[in-house]
């Protein structure tokens, strides 16, 4: 049994798989903690030890990674991409994306297409 930062590897994998599968869902700390069979407080602490960031920050990073992938690899609209990664509001998606990357989703896509 490999333990990484206080969380057994199989529990961390279970949580990460749930995060990936639920990118369009609302972040739910207690649901993720339950997947690891831990209290929300203890889960947050050992998750951060294992990954270097809080569960909510990690989840947001996964969402932005997927949004960048979809912008680069698909013809989906920015609106549909925002919805696919869990943002009901296009302006909120654009704001979070801009904070994460420094540019708007449309500018990100345009820069990627210009390179091809």
């Amino acid at each position: 049994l490999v333990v990484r930062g206080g969380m057994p590897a199989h529990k961390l994998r279970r949580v990460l798989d749930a995060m990936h599968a639920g990118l369009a869902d609302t972040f739910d700390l207690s649901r993720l903690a339950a997947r690891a069979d831990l209290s929300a407080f203890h889960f947050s602490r050992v998750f951060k030890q294992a990954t270097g960031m809080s569960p909510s920050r990690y989840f947001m990073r996964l969402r932005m990674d997927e949004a960048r992938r979809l912008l680069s690899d698909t013809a989906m609209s920015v609106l549909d991409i925002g919805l696919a990664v869990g943002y009901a509001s296009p302006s909120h998606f654009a704001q979070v994306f801009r904070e994460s990357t420094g540019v708007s989703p449309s500018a990100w896509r345009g820069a990627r297409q210009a390179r091809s």
Side-chain angles (χ1 to χ4, degrees):
L1 180 69
V2 178
V3 176
R4 181 167 179 219
M7 182 180 283
H10 72 281
K11 288 186 178 188
L12 181 60
R13 179 83 261 148
R14 192 181 320 150
V15 169
L16 295 178
D17 288 347
M19 285 182 164
H20 281 280
L23 289 178
D25 300 336
T26 303
F27 177 77
D28 184 345
L29 180 66
S30 53
R31 183 180 61 83
L32 294 171
R35 296 211 41 113
D37 300 318
L38 298 169
S39 71
F41 175 80
H42 188 62
F43 169 72
S44 291
R45 194 170 59 75
V46 296
F47 186 92
K48 187 167 185 173
Q49 286 176 340
T51 65
M53 58 185 86
S54 70
S56 60
R57 186 166 189 81
Y58 191 94
F59 186 68
M60 188 183 76
R61 194 187 84 186
L62 287 179
R63 281 180 161 178
M64 292 300 103
D65 289 349
E66 179 66 2
R68 287 193 300 272
R69 186 191 72 75
L70 292 170
L71 286 164
S72 296
D73 299 348
T74 74
M76 288 173 68
S77 71
V78 171
L79 174 65
D80 286 342
I81 291 171
L83 292 170
V85 297
Y87 294 92
S89 159
S91 61
H92 187 228
F93 169 62
Q95 175 191 353
V96 173
F97 191 91
R98 186 176 285 108
E99 289 169 1
S100 171
T101 65
V103 297
S104 70
S106 298
W108 174 273
R109 175 174 271 163
R112 295 300 167 277
Q113 290 171 341
R115 290 184 190 167
S116 321

